[in-house]
């Protein structure tokens, strides 16, 4: 693997070659340096920090100020990995708000890509951002910022109608200009179908092994989660003597296709 900095074009080339993409969440410079050393391709400054760092029950309370701060921390610790930052709740609700948010995350935070949740309702925003030179990562399936609307953290796309909607939205996001897509908690067969049908890389979390890459919350894959861990995660620190060893094991398991395995694939 080349030591050159990774871009969205790099990830597209990896997909074309059939090379699996490794991604983890990251919230500070120290972890960023560890992820770099392990060879992680993408660092996601996720609004999951609201739950695993700040102690909230959902991601909704996370603010743009907080996202810009954590993104800047991670940026100071990375050199090669692509840096993606989540839009916090409602920042991507309109093109105008999204442009302000993207400017802050990229100029203050050092992000190279912004990620926003949603399908048909955010297409205008995606087109606006990409027209202005902002790379966008979409997010479909379970969308944590909508937890109050859907009534909890539940798998999505189980029935034919909702699966069709997710697949249609995925294609629409690509055509609107998105460079990447995250699929969260959808049936493995649906995720594989979408991954094969799109030109852009698809990163899965709780979506089976058929995606172009995988992402986990770094605290989950180190066994540092609160209460019961997500069933699609794996404790890579168990049986290993260090965090660097756990991160290296995760990268190796994603690249060789052994993660996620049957135990981490519910559908």
């Amino acid at each position: 693997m080349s030591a050159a900095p990774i871009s969205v074009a790099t990830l597209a080339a990896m997909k074309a070659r059939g090379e699996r993409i490794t991604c983890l969440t990251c919230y500070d410079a120290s972890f960023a340096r560890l992820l770099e050393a392990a060879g992680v391709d993408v660092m996601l400054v996720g609004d999951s920090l609201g739950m695993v760092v700040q102690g909230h029950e959902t991601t909704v309370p996370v603010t743009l100020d907080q996202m810009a701060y954590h993104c800047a921390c991670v940026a100071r610790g990375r050199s090669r990995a692509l840096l993606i930052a989540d839009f916090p709740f409602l920042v991507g609700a309109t093109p105008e708000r999204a442009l302000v948010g993207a400017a802050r995350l990229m100029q203050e935070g050092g992000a190279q890509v912004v990620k926003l949740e949603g399908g048909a309702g955010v297409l205008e925003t995606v087109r606006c951002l990409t027209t202005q030179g902002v790379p966008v990562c979409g997010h479909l399936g379970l969308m944590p910022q909508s937890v109050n609307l859907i009534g909890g953290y539940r798998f999505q796309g189980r029935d034919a109608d909702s699966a069709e909607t997710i697949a249609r939205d995925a294609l629409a996001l690509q055509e609107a200009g998105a460079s990447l897509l995250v699929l969260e908690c959808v049936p493995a067969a649906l995720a594989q179908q979408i991954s094969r049908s799109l030109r852009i890389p698809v990163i899965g979390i709780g979506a089976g092994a058929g995606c172009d890459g995988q992402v986990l919350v770094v605290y989950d894959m180190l066994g540092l989660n609160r209460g019961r861990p997500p069933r699609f995660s794996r404790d890579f620190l168990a049986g290993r003597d260090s965090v660097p060893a756990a991160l290296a094991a995760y990268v190796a398991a994603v690249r060789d296709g052994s993660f996620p395995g049957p135990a981490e694939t519910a559908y």
Side-chain angles (χ1 to χ4, degrees), residues 146-171:
S146 299
V147 63
N148 292 311
L149 181 65
I150 64 176
Y153 297 94
R154 300 174 179 173
F155 266 73
Q156 304 294 306
R158 289 173 168 170
D159 62 89
D161 287 346
S162 61
E164 182 180 352
T165 298
I166 293 170
R168 184 171 59 247
D169 284 348
L171 179 60

Side-chain angles (χ1 to χ4, degrees), residues 32-108:
R33 286 189 282 269
L34 291 172
L35 267 60
E36 280 280 356
V40 171
D41 300 311
V42 180
M43 297 182 194
L44 170 62
V45 184
D47 59 0
S48 51
L49 68 89
M51 301 174 74
V52 299
V53 175
Q54 297 174 340
H56 295 299
E57 291 299 317
T58 73
T59 64
V60 172
V62 178
T63 68
L64 183 58
D65 284 344
Q66 293 165 351
M67 288 301 302
Y69 168 80
H70 282 278
C71 194
C73 291
V74 173
R76 287 189 283 269
R78 64 155 291 280
S79 57
R80 174 181 173 270
L82 185 70
L83 181 55
I84 301 177
D86 268 341
F87 270 173
F89 184 62
L90 291 182
V91 168
T94 67
E96 295 76 18
R97 294 195 67 179
L99 286 172
V100 172
R104 291 201 59 195
L105 291 175
M106 297 179 80
Q107 292 179 317
E108 298 176 30

